[in-house]
Each structure stands twice: as C-alpha cells, then as structure tokens.
C-alpha cells in the first residue's frame, strides 16, 4: 500500500523515471493488472520508447479485448504524430463498438489536430503567414501531450516565421521541434538552413549531417555542407566595409570619409594599416609627433 502511495506521488511530481521503476515492480507481482499494464504502456510512449511500447502490445493482447488492444495501437500511432493511422484504427473499432469511449475521445482529438493543421497549412500556402502562425499556435494548444505532432507544427511555424524574415524566432521554434523529436530530419534540415543564414556555420553543418544520417534518401547534403564550409571560410576574413560602416557599393570618397572618422574615433583603425576594398587601397597615415 505504501509502495502504491509512493507511485501516486511520483505521478503527481511527474517523475517519469520513478514511475517506470514502480510500474516494473508492480508488474513483477501482478503481471495481468490491466491498470498497471496500460499505465506502463502509456509511460513508455511518453518517454519516447515506442519500440518497447509496441513490444508491450504483445502482452496486452493476451489480457485485453480486441477493441481495447486496437485502441492502444491507435494511441501508439497518435502519439508518434501519425494521426491518419490512429484515426483509421479508431474508426475500425467504432464500427464494431460504437460506444467505445477511449476511441471516441481519441478520434475527436485527432480530428481537431487534422483540421487545425490543414487550416494553418492552407493559410501558409496562400501567403497569409501571420494568420498561419496564429493557427499553428492554436494547434499546439489542442493536445500538449503529443510531442511528435508538436515537432511537425513547430517546424511548420518556423517556416512561416522565416518567410517573414524572423530568423531568430524561427530558430527558437526549430529548437523546440527538435526537443520534441530529435529524430525528425525535416526539423534538423530546416534548422541547418536557418543557422546558415544567420552565420552559425558550425551549427548548420552539424544539423545537415544529422538530417542526412536520419534520412539519406531524402537529404543528400554533401554539396550543401561544402557550401557552408566555403561560406564559413569567407566569413573568417575581416569585412572592412562593415568595420567602416559603409555599403559595398560605396565610392572612394565615401570610404575615405568613413575611414577618416574611424581613424580618430575608434581603436578599430589600429589594425587597418592597409585596407584592400575591392581593389581600392587606403593607407593609414601616421600621426605626426608633437
């Protein structure tokens, strides 16, 4: 009894490691407990252990009725973000058992996710990026437990933010997407793309490598990685236009004026004895000794 109270406390504290430990102990003593088998199955899914959860279904088939097993399999699909497969299984259960409460709840929730995502995608495709972002945000709030689905939505929202040139915000969303599912190649590829645009070249290369390893048939990125390495090499060279605060199309007079101001107002001029600006060279004049 005390052991069960400690388990309930671990549930309240959302300590998933302790929950898993307690459930394993319970199942050693009560291998056919529907309650603990179900909670263990759902906890494995919550922890992203989908292969172990799928193996657990074999045990559940011996104890649960067929509709209940199908529901759990539908739930397994649902929590992986495979909403279509989840809906299909739930519907098949409801054909033989129209009052199956868990399947009715799951199907209702799944439909909300599908409708919300489709509306957001439609807004994105029509160029209504701000409205699409709002709709993606609403999708995330529908079911806070479905992390794999969140990974898809965060990636889509990041794409909409990038279209508005909000690269830093897009990067934060992609970090969230990968936190929800670190095996999602599309999020890793998109984060690599954003990191490249922001000049985070090492991070971009890591992301591209990860995306390629997860899905080499879709993401063959060796050329892209070489391109990033070239950009990184160029970026290591000093951008004297940036130091001078002038555009690259500035004429010689503008460059000399900016350099003159820099010479007397900043220490940045100390390392600019001879500056090559696209063939136009400016030599720093030595100050006369007083």
């Amino acid at each position: 009894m005390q052991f069960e109270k400690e388990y309930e406390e671990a549930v309240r504290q959302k300590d998933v490691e302790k929950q898993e430990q307690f459930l394993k102990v319970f199942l050693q003593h009560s291998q056919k407990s529907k309650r603990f088998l179900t909670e263990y199955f759902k906890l494995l899914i919550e922890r992203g252990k989908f292969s172990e959860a799928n193996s657990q279904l074999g045990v559940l088939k011996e104890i649960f009725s067929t509709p209940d097993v199908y529901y759990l399999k539908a739930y397994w699909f649902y929590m992986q973000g495979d909403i279509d497969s989840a809906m299909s299984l739930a519907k098949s259960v409801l054909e033989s058992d129209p009052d199956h409460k868990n399947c009715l709840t799951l199907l209702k929730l799944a439909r909300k996710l599908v409708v919300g995502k489709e509306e957001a995608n439609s807004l994105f495709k029509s160029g209504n990026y701000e409205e699409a972002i709002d709709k993606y945000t609403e999708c995330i709030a529908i079911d806070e437990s479905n992390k794999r689905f969140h990974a898809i939505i965060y990636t889509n929202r990041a794409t909409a933010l990038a279209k508005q040139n909000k690269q830093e915000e897009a990067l934060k969303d992609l970090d969230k997407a990968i936190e929800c599912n670190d095996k999602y190649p599309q999020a890793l590829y998109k984060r690599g793309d954003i990191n490249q645009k922001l000049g985070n070249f090492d991070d971009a290369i890591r992301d591209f490598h990860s995306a390629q390893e997860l899905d080499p048939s879709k993401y063959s990125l060796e050329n892209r990685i070489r391109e990033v390495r070239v950009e990184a090499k160029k970026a290591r060279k000093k951008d004297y236009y940036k130091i001078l605060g002038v555009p690259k199309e500035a004429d010689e007079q503008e460059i000399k004026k900016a350099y003159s101001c820099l010479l007397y107002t900043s220490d940045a001029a100390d390392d600019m004895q001879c500056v090559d600006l696209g063939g136009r060279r400016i030599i720093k004049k030595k100050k006369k000794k007083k």
Side-chain angles (χ1 to χ4, degrees), residues 2 45 65 75-76 113 127 140-141 157 172 174 180 200 208 214 217 284:
Q2 180 61 34
I45 288 173
S65 66
Y75 180 78
W76 182 80
L113 294 180
I140 293 166
R157 193 171 74 174
K172 288 177 184 177
L174 290 163
C180 290
N200 305 328
F208 287 146
L214 288 167
S217 62
K284 176 180 172 182

Side-chain angles (χ1 to χ4, degrees), residues 181-190 207 210-212 214-215 218-219:
N181 182 5
D182 61 0
K183 300 289 190 294
Y184 186 35
Q186 190 172 336
L188 287 158
Y189 171 77
K190 186 63 184 175
D207 286 336
S210 297
Q212 185 171 252
L214 288 167
D215 192 350
K218 186 176 181 180
Y219 298 102

Side-chain angles (χ1 to χ4, degrees), residues 240 244 259 271-277 280-283:
Y240 289 111
L244 291 170
Y259 183 73
D271 62 351
M272 295 174 65
Q273 293 286 347
C274 179
V275 182
D276 188 346
L277 293 165
R280 294 170 292 186
R281 299 170 69 83
I282 296 177
I283 309 299

Side-chain angles (χ1 to χ4, degrees), residues 119-176:
E119 287 178 357
N121 288 347
S122 178
L123 288 165
F124 175 85
K125 287 174 184 175
S126 61
N128 297 318
Y129 302 125
E130 196 60 45
E131 291 179 52
I133 289 164
D134 291 340
K135 185 58 69 173
Y136 285 131
T137 304
E138 289 175 20
C139 282
I140 293 166
I142 291 171
D143 182 1
E144 294 182 358
S145 69
N146 198 327
K147 300 301 181 185
R148 294 293 180 97
F149 183 77
H150 286 182
I152 296 167
I153 299 302
Y154 276 125
T155 302
N156 289 359
R157 193 171 74 174
T159 305
L161 287 164
K163 287 287 186 180
Q164 294 183 315
N165 204 31
K166 296 177 180 178
Q167 308 297 347
E168 294 287 354
E169 289 181 53
L171 187 61
K172 288 177 184 177
D173 262 8
L174 290 163
D175 286 341
K176 290 176 184 175

Side-chain angles (χ1 to χ4, degrees), residues 78-142:
Y78 174 81
M79 291 300 288
Q80 288 189 88
D82 187 351
I83 308 301
D84 290 339
S85 296
M87 290 176 69
S88 179
L89 259 180
K91 285 176 184 176
S92 69
V93 171
L94 292 169
E95 285 175 6
S96 58
D97 185 358
D99 298 320
H100 196 286
K101 188 177 177 181
N102 286 333
C103 277
L104 285 168
T105 302
L106 183 67
L107 191 58
K108 184 179 179 181
L109 203 53
R111 280 173 174 157
K112 281 186 179 180
L113 294 180
V114 169
V115 169
K117 182 186 172 187
E118 285 178 351
E119 287 178 357
N121 288 347
S122 178
L123 288 165
F124 175 85
K125 287 174 184 175
S126 61
N128 297 318
Y129 302 125
E130 196 60 45
E131 291 179 52
I133 289 164
D134 291 340
K135 185 58 69 173
Y136 285 131
T137 304
E138 289 175 20
C139 282
I140 293 166
I142 291 171

